[in-house]
Amino acid sequence: MPDDDWLDTEGQRIGRRIREVREHHNLTQEKVFLAVPMNRAHYQAIEAGRANPTLRLLLRIARVIGVPVSELVR
């Protein structure tokens, strides 16, 4: 698989994982993106796998959800 395709696939997988963990903790997207804080559209794009969050942003999202960042990227 070419690198770009692999990166896109992994980004989508991580986005799905963020959504799954957020929902498991009974949090809305709004609660997370307001607490981070960040733009709604950018957060939605991360969960959809269309945006690439920085490590700093992943750490903030993990903190708000209440899990280690490793839980979001495993």
Side-chain angles (χ1 to χ4, degrees), residues 45-65:
I46 290 169
E47 281 198 2
R50 295 187 313 268
N52 296 314
T54 63
L55 177 57
R56 181 177 292 267
L57 193 51
L58 278 175
L59 289 165
R60 287 179 178 165
I61 291 169
R63 183 184 63 191
V64 168
I65 295 173

Side-chain angles (χ1 to χ4, degrees), residues 23-62:
E23 289 175 345
H24 178 77
H25 284 84
N26 297 313
L27 295 169
T28 63
Q29 283 186 343
E30 183 175 31
K31 181 119 179 150
V32 175
F33 73 74
L34 288 175
V36 167
M38 65 183 299
N39 175 281
R40 173 192 302 259
H42 187 63
Y43 182 80
Q44 290 172 330
I46 290 169
E47 281 198 2
R50 295 187 313 268
N52 296 314
T54 63
L55 177 57
R56 181 177 292 267
L57 193 51
L58 278 175
L59 289 165
R60 287 179 178 165
I61 291 169

